[in-house]
Amino acid sequence: MADKQIGLLVMAYGTPRNIDEIEPYYTHIRRGRKPTPELLDTLIERYKLIGGVSPLSRITEEQAEQLEYRLNERHANVTFKAYVGLKHIEPYIENVVQQMKEDGIEQAISIVLAPHQSTFSTDSYNNRAHEESEKIGGPAITSIDSWYSEPSFLDFWSDRIRDTFDQIPTEAKAHTIVIFSAHSLPEKIIQMKDPYPGQIADNAKLIAERAGIAHYTTAWQSAGRTPEPWLGPDILDKIRELHKEGYTSMIFCPIGFVADHLEVLYDNDYECKKLTDELGIRYYRPAMPNTDPRFIEALACAVEKKLI
Ligand code: FEC
């Protein structure tokens, strides 16, 4: 008898693959509103500062391939077939659901390459996948809402933090703080009882306990350039506040992201680093999950929980 086939819909944010794709990508993020020339230039400058293009599309592909490989390795009677569907650039989530149907996939599991659940984030990915499958009559998709508490994911960050502490001079260790950060979202999510802020706080606590760290805090980064209020405290304000409290070394853990990309390579490694340099603070930013085996394991375990 042929193996049971399961589609693995791996969804991620997406990134422009060259300079010409930046404007349509930005327009899509802004729900169809073209950015002003000033906003566009600022974004192009940020991409230039990280080398012209983001490594995100390559990393997303590798993460999906490795997840597929790991699952196939340990499930003898099931064949997992990974499909990458993106939020803001081709191949869009909808096109990939159509592709799965054309390929004869009847059953699929969807996972978003972002650990925490939010209406503005993971729910919007999953809703788009479900709406398309309902429209075209399949495949049946089972979605993972969030996976931040997977033990291997907690191990990944706590090991990274311990390794980073080892690099800090002994006399500076007592004045070191870990800053866990995630992408800010509009403040109205608090009234909407969105799970996102609570999950970030819980994730930070779980990692801090595992790593055995004395001082940690949370902050929001990369807020949108819109007039509405966004979740705070912003990470740059947080750095200034912690400096006043006497911290001299800071370990930045952007736990809301899982890869090297603009929001980490620019917002953390350029903007936060510039400020810590000005204030005379030591800046540490452990390597991102990318294709680390502990991270791939966390994704695989989250998928396995949805297997019937
Ligand atoms: O190209 C790259 O390497 C970076 C890709 C990238 C990731 C990412 C992750 C998240 N975002 C989230 C929410 C928002 C909201 C807005 C918003 C705006 C941008 C802009 C760029 C961008 N995001 Fe993003 N985000 C990435 C890139 N993001 C570029 C536009 C310029 C700017 O404002 O910086 C505001 C939209 C608006 O204006 O209305 C909201 C969330 C995540 C983490 C979860 C996920 O990965 O889906 C949440 C990667």
Side-chain angles (χ1 to χ4, degrees):
M1 207 175 81
D3 279 356
K4 178 176 173 183
Q5 207 179 37
I6 297 187
L8 208 52
L9 177 57
V10 181
M11 295 181 284
Y13 206 82
T15 182
R17 295 168 181 100
N18 55 57
I19 194 166
D20 295 335
E21 285 188 348
I22 296 181
E23 187 172 5
Y25 170 75
Y26 201 175
T27 306
H28 195 276
I29 291 177
R30 291 166 50 86
R31 292 172 299 280
R33 288 173 296 127
K34 263 193 179 197
T36 60
E38 294 73 31
L39 278 175
L40 183 61
D41 285 349
T42 313
L43 185 57
I44 292 173
E45 274 314 305
R46 280 154 63 203
Y47 277 109
K48 279 190 186 150
L49 259 156
I50 66 157
V53 285
S54 166
L56 182 61
S57 66
R58 173 185 54 80
I59 298 168
T60 300
E61 287 295 334
E62 289 173 2
Q63 288 171 330
E65 265 167 38
Q66 296 208 17
L67 174 61
E68 177 192 76
Y69 183 82
R70 184 168 287 234
L71 286 165
N72 281 328
E73 206 178 33
R74 57 189 198 214
H75 292 273
N77 304 319
V78 183
T79 301
F80 290 91
K81 188 166 174 355
Y83 292 81
V84 171
L86 304 176
K87 192 176 187 188
H88 293 302
I89 201 157
E90 285 166 2
Y92 289 110
I93 294 165
E94 290 77 5
N95 305 134
V96 171
V97 173
Q98 289 160 14
Q99 187 62 53
M100 287 200 291
K101 183 160 167 80
E102 276 169 36
D103 292 351
I105 303 278
E106 290 171 4
Q107 196 189 334
I109 296 176
S110 73
I111 184 159
V112 183
L113 294 178
H116 313 99
Q117 186 183 7
S118 168
T119 344
F120 281 72
S121 169
T122 46
D123 288 355
S124 74
Y125 289 82
N126 282 319
N127 290 345
R128 279 172 59 182
H130 283 274
E131 275 163 25
E132 187 61 27
S133 82
E134 272 160 34
K135 198 167 111 191
I136 62 173
I141 302 173
T142 307
S143 296
I144 296 160
D145 290 329
S146 71
W147 48 263
Y148 74 91
S149 57
E150 282 300 332
S152 310
F153 185 61
L154 304 177
D155 283 344
F156 167 85
W157 277 113
S158 53
D159 289 352
R160 284 276 201 262
I161 292 169
R162 275 195 231 101
D163 292 348
T164 309
F165 257 98
D166 289 344
Q167 300 165 32
I168 297 175
T170 315
E171 66 284 5
K173 284 195 196 332
H175 306 284
T176 298
I177 186 156
V178 176
I179 306 178
F180 294 105
S181 60
H183 202 294
S184 183
L185 284 176
E187 216 177 63
K188 62 183 175 219
I189 67 162
I190 295 175
Q191 282 79 52
M192 293 161 68
K193 306 241 179 306
D194 191 279
Y196 188 73
Q199 289 194 356
I200 305 289
D202 190 40
N203 202 176
K205 182 169 163 278
L206 291 171
I207 298 169
E209 280 168 3
R210 249 174 221 236
I213 28 176
H215 310 292
Y216 79 92
T217 188
T218 55
W220 301 101
Q221 64 171 91
S222 321
R225 288 148 177 79
T226 64
E228 68 187 314
W230 289 70
L231 291 176
D234 180 78
I235 195 159
L236 296 174
D237 295 333
K238 193 60 154 183
I239 294 170
R240 290 185 194 100
E241 183 190 311
L242 295 170
H243 174 247
K244 283 195 195 130
E245 287 175 28
Y247 289 101
T248 55
S249 299
M250 296 182 188
I251 304 178
F252 291 82
C253 298
I255 53 170
F257 303 122
V258 299
D260 289 327
H261 54 58
L262 188 73
E263 313 294 71
V264 174
L265 302 177
Y266 181 84
D267 295 0
N268 292 103
D269 293 354
Y270 181 78
E271 268 188 352
C272 293
K273 170 88 168 52
K274 189 164 168 275
L275 179 58
T276 53
D277 284 351
E278 279 165 22
L279 298 172
I281 295 163
R282 287 189 196 82
Y283 176 93
Y284 299 90
R285 201 268 298 158
M288 294 300 287
N290 294 328
T291 51
D292 186 281
R294 284 161 297 190
F295 168 60
I296 303 297
E297 176 64 17
L299 299 180
C301 291
V303 170
E304 281 168 341
K305 290 193 179 120
K306 296 290 178 186
L307 287 176
I308 313 154

